[in-house]
Amino acid sequence: MATGAQGMTHAVGPAKPRVVDSLAQMLFRKSNPNRDKFERLAEAVFPSVFGTALRLTRDREDAHDLAQEAIIRAYEAFDRFDGRNFKAWILRILTNLYINRYRQRQREGLSQSLEEESAIEPVAELSQTPDRQVFDNMVGAEVETALARVPDDFRLAVLLSDVEELSYEEIAEVTQVPIGTVRSRIARGRAILRRELERYALEQGYIKQSISDE
Amino acid sequence: MNDIELISSYLDGTLDEKERTEVLARLENEPQLRAQYGSMKSVKQLLSDRCTAPVDIENDWKQCKNRLDEIDKSSQAERFVSKYAWAMAASLFILVVGTGVANRLNPSRILHASEVNRYAASLTPGLPSTTNSSAIGDRYGLNFGKPALTVSGVASGRINGLPISRIDLQDVRGSMRLVAVQGASNIDGTTPSEDGTFNRCQIAQINAVGWRHGNTALLLIGDRNYSELEEVAHELIR
């Protein structure tokens, strides 16, 4: 008898929370119709949100916090989203969060920042080292390492353009700077990255100093 | 626009027709610019090919969804509160009023000895008539006819909605106060005597003995020992 009663308890016990959870879910979903729409849009762009966060913070844990905070801020402000470009909108939130929170913290450690933009060599002379020698042996992680050496504002512009494939207008919207500045940052960012890739290739012995100096 | 910006913009297809024509002409005639263009194109291609989407982010997304659930739940609770605030306020009001009415209709039947004495002391006793003393005696099962015991004053009132009477008594040893509360189920702060006939307590360092008659709790308070008080109480009880 006792065994039967226990058995019954075990059979009924775990089902209860599921019923309560689904009921609660049904209730709040019913009262919040925007949730499904937001979740669908956010899930689609989450890899970009997380990837951008990761490439900005260069730390997985910070990236997790930053991406999550951006998603939450976006959800809270979803009724103010104009319905045009969700990815650009949420990346703008992410960028603002990063600037306000993380970059303040990291600013001291940066060798070059927005204020020092003019200090970057205007042309950052592209090396004459053959591209194939620099790039052929590079794997994703090495490219990421070189990218991480590019100053924040240039890195953000380059990755929004070449990784996230946003247009100049969208990048201007995300970073809240004029298109001319976007153009300049992308160009300089690529030139700096090229230099960093070459430096990395030298360090790793993919190319020789003599070739690099040619 | 410097050369790097020019070839970068050309690569991204953001130049106007005139600029594009100019760049094309320069690329044909300037090998160094052509090399820079090729190099920038390689960088762009490299980023596009090798900087892939981060992996193992399912758990991160799941945690985001959990946070969204929490937000939904708390905002739902806020909406509920703001929507039904008036109803909750009304319920609270009804509860407070209802409790008051219930207390009025069904007053506390447990009183503390000191509380009873304090209230009795606040009453102003009047001179008793024979009829008056006899009526009180009948009501509380007391015999005030003993020649050694006289009633010197009587007063009535209500404590917690219950009728209370104060009867001041006098005998050869001095004065005493008898307090009777009708409907009191118990008087707290007392302990039973050895034989269990009376309850004993001290109120402001003055001894008191208590007993019940029907639905009435009685307390005899006097500046004498318990045995003497119990002796008087025995004489009073018919």
Side-chain angles (χ1 to χ4, degrees):
Chain A
M1 188 71 181
T3 312
Q6 276 175 355
M8 207 166 113
T9 309
H10 283 293
V12 174
K16 259 186 170 177
R18 279 205 299 272
V19 172
V20 172
D21 281 354
S22 350
L23 192 66
Q25 210 166 27
M26 272 169 59
L27 282 172
F28 79 68
R29 283 288 167 88
K30 192 183 170 190
S31 64
N32 191 355
N34 276 344
R35 169 64 188 271
D36 282 339
K37 189 180 173 190
F38 177 83
E39 204 174 303
R40 206 171 50 249
L41 290 169
E43 189 170 12
V45 300
F46 190 69
S48 292
V49 171
F50 196 91
T52 306
L54 193 60
R55 287 174 183 120
L56 284 174
T57 62
R58 288 165 277 178
D59 178 272
R60 175 128 197 153
E61 212 166 300
D62 283 347
H64 170 85
D65 292 346
L66 180 60
Q68 191 175 89
E69 197 58 32
I71 293 286
I72 286 158
R73 293 281 180 95
Y75 184 50
E76 286 170 341
F78 192 47
D79 55 346
R80 296 197 291 279
F81 169 54
D82 62 10
R84 288 188 298 127
N85 188 335
F86 186 77
K87 184 175 171 180
W89 182 69
I90 204 164
L91 285 175
R92 178 176 170 173
I93 292 172
L94 178 97
T95 307
N96 283 338
L97 270 173
Y98 171 72
I99 290 167
N100 294 334
R101 187 172 299 178
Y102 293 86
R103 200 160 70 171
Q104 291 294 331
R105 207 169 66 193
Q106 296 175 349
R107 189 172 285 278
E108 286 174 16
L110 287 176
S111 56
Q112 287 150 324
S113 67
L114 184 62
E115 289 74 21
E116 295 168 304
E117 192 171 319
S118 57
I120 304 285
E121 297 167 51
V123 177
E125 289 297 339
L126 289 174
S127 162
Q128 297 307 302
T129 307
D131 293 331
R132 289 188 62 184
Q133 289 186 31
V134 178
F135 301 145
D136 277 1
N137 294 319
M138 292 221 175
V139 294
E142 292 170 322
V143 178
E144 297 278 3
T145 304
L147 183 63
R149 290 175 176 174
V150 177
D152 267 14
D153 300 312
F154 302 99
R155 184 167 76 249
L156 180 63
V158 168
L159 74 89
L160 289 177
S161 166
D162 298 346
V163 179
E164 299 306 331
E165 297 176 342
L166 298 191
S167 68
Y168 281 22
E169 285 77 13
E170 288 170 331
I171 297 168
E173 193 186 321
V174 169
T175 54
Q176 293 169 272
V177 294
I179 286 191
T181 307
V182 170
R183 186 190 309 276
S184 167
R185 285 184 186 176
I186 292 172
R188 291 174 185 202
R190 284 174 182 155
I192 297 164
L193 178 60
R194 173 66 171 78
R195 194 180 60 200
E196 291 299 336
L197 286 165
E198 191 177 324
R199 188 181 295 172
Y200 186 84
L202 263 172
E203 286 167 11
Q204 299 302 313
Y206 298 155
I207 54 173
K208 299 245 179 325
Q209 186 69 47
S210 55
I211 295 173
S212 172
D213 289 343
E214 271 173 19
Chain B
M1 211 184 294
N2 61 42
D3 282 356
I4 289 288
E5 288 175 15
L6 203 64
I7 56 173
S8 176
S9 302
Y10 175 73
L11 183 61
D12 292 329
T14 60
L15 296 179
D16 61 31
E17 190 56 44
K18 186 170 168 265
E19 289 169 323
R20 207 162 40 241
T21 312
E22 281 173 16
V23 172
L24 265 174
R26 284 190 63 192
L27 284 174
E28 269 188 36
N29 299 321
E30 298 176 33
Q32 194 180 345
L33 193 68
R34 198 161 54 241
Q36 286 181 330
Y37 172 74
S39 189
M40 189 164 281
K41 197 174 174 183
S42 300
V43 170
K44 186 178 166 76
Q45 194 61 46
L46 189 75
L47 285 168
S48 172
D49 290 347
R50 305 200 190 161
C51 289
T52 50
V55 293
D56 296 333
I57 57 169
E58 293 80 13
N59 200 37
D60 299 280
W61 172 243
K62 206 173 169 183
Q63 285 182 39
C64 283
K65 286 208 294 183
N66 290 342
R67 288 281 306 273
L68 296 181
D69 285 347
E70 285 167 22
I71 291 171
D72 276 345
K73 281 173 190 167
S74 66
S75 62
Q76 193 193 19
E78 279 169 20
R79 275 200 304 275
F80 180 83
V81 168
S82 58
K83 193 173 177 184
Y84 296 109
W86 61 272
M88 287 192 282
S91 305
L92 190 65
F93 176 75
I94 289 167
L95 185 71
V96 169
V97 171
T99 307
V101 170
N103 279 342
R104 191 87 181 160
L105 295 174
N106 186 21
S108 172
R109 292 175 176 273
I110 300 171
L111 299 166
H112 197 274
S114 58
E115 183 188 4
V116 170
N117 181 54
R118 198 163 46 244
Y119 184 77
S122 72
L123 298 172
T124 309
L127 284 174
S129 62
T130 314
T131 328
N132 197 1
S133 297
S134 168
I136 291 170
D138 288 345
R139 193 190 304 158
Y140 299 129
L142 301 171
N143 177 14
F144 294 119
K146 299 282 165 62
L149 197 67
T150 56
V151 176
S152 58
V154 173
S156 295
R158 293 186 87 83
I159 179 168
N160 286 3
L162 301 172
I164 181 171
S165 297
R166 164 182 165 180
I167 303 113
D168 291 349
L169 301 168
Q170 188 81 37
D171 67 1
V172 287
R173 289 196 188 94
S175 61
M176 290 166 288
R177 180 185 295 160
L178 177 67
V179 184
V181 186
Q182 227 178 334
S185 58
N186 197 15
I187 291 191
D188 262 1
T190 61
T191 51
S193 59
E194 288 90 5
D195 62 4
T197 315
F198 294 98
N199 287 322
R200 292 173 175 179
C201 68
Q202 278 205 323
I203 303 167
Q205 294 183 322
I206 298 175
N207 291 337
V209 294
W211 71 95
R212 291 194 62 80
H213 173 78
N215 72 337
T216 302
L218 294 106
L219 207 56
L220 180 65
I221 308 154
D223 192 9
R224 57 190 73 182
N225 63 38
Y226 287 124
S227 302
E228 289 167 345
L229 283 172
E230 284 166 7
E231 197 180 310
V232 175
H234 273 302
E235 282 177 22
L236 283 167
I237 298 166
R238 283 175 178 170

